[in-house]
Amino acid sequence: MKVAMIGHKVIPSRRGGIERVLTTLCPLLVASGVEVTCYNRSSDKVENEYVGTVKDNMYKGVKLKKAPTLNVRGFAAMISSFTAAISASFKSYDVVHFHAEGPCAAMWIPKLFGKKCVATVHGIDWQREKWGKGFASKYIKFGEKTMVKYADEIIVLSQSAYDYFLNTYNRKTVIIPNGIDKPEKKEAKMITEDFSLTKDSYICIISRLTAEKGVHYLIDAYNQLDTDKKLVIVGDTSDTDDYVASLKEKAKNNPKIIFTGFESGDELKELYTNAYVVTLPSDLEGMSLSLLEAMAYGNAVLASDIPENSSVGEDKIMYFKHSDTADLKEKLQFLCDNPGEVEKLRCGVSEFILSRYHWDEIAVKTCNLYKNI
């Protein structure tokens, strides 16, 4: 069976949730006998962590092709999805698998050529604040409607997304969540040298810096805390330069707030391993890989109470009322003042999450879905 993947930036990569999913999932599909081709945007490059893993346009058995595009904010994804869809239509793929709603605007092209099409909805993207209410949001909503009309199967990550498509379009979907592998823990070395961070000396968020991730709530809450813990914000802009500038403006008078930028490899492992608390203050998620990773590392986690978080964390993490800075501040202060409660949250959380979300099982479910169509 031959499958083409469309809609991501570049594989392999940790640059975003879709990229992280496909970087793990695609080699597992190959190991299951599926011939996988990923259409990478021509404007994006593999980051240094993965350079040595790519040879002759192959990554762990996954074929890599370029989808021509322009490196223009808001248009790179749209153009690359159309060029990839056109190319895939003339190839011998059995399934064309689109990722995210916006790229699905091009799904009608391979359908014209008789291809079977699958879509994975990683989040209800038109709701993301960075797209506003203009052309981008309307285009993504158009992609959603195109997907509902043409996709042979739609994969969602959570029950809330399943309910959304059933209630909005009377369209049934298939729930296949994200997975997680047992992580490699690292003592604080690089983060001590680069940021003067040590074990349990900081509160951490690891995320794309976009408004729906709620980083602004976290900074406002932290600025009211009475603590010697630092706040470490790990991540970078995602077509959200103005938002990132506003975050740094909020933080400018507090030297304990550290922006590390994008991190991967051993330094990211150190950041997860040595955090006192990991926060996830999102207003909107699909299924957060950062939440899965934080729990897999055995972290104490404080997350917003949106269903996409609570359905994963269940009673193993602490929650605050989403969008409520005062409640976030109160919960953070409680955890800073009560290290014993932090230890309780850490106890058994890694085993809990690793027992529920296996990439191997997710690869099998995905293969079976391909076969069924």
Side-chain angles (χ1 to χ4, degrees), residues 77-93:
M78 180 175 68
I79 295 170
S80 64
S81 61
F82 272 89
T83 58
I86 292 168
S87 174
S89 296
F90 288 94
K91 305 292 184 182
S92 59
Y93 300 118

Side-chain angles (χ1 to χ4, degrees), residues 115-131:
K115 302 294 185 186
K116 297 294 185 181
C117 289
V118 172
T120 296
V121 178
H122 296 262
I124 311 302
D125 290 337
W126 59 268
Q127 296 177 352
R128 298 187 190 279
E129 189 170 324
K130 73 173 182 177
W131 300 124

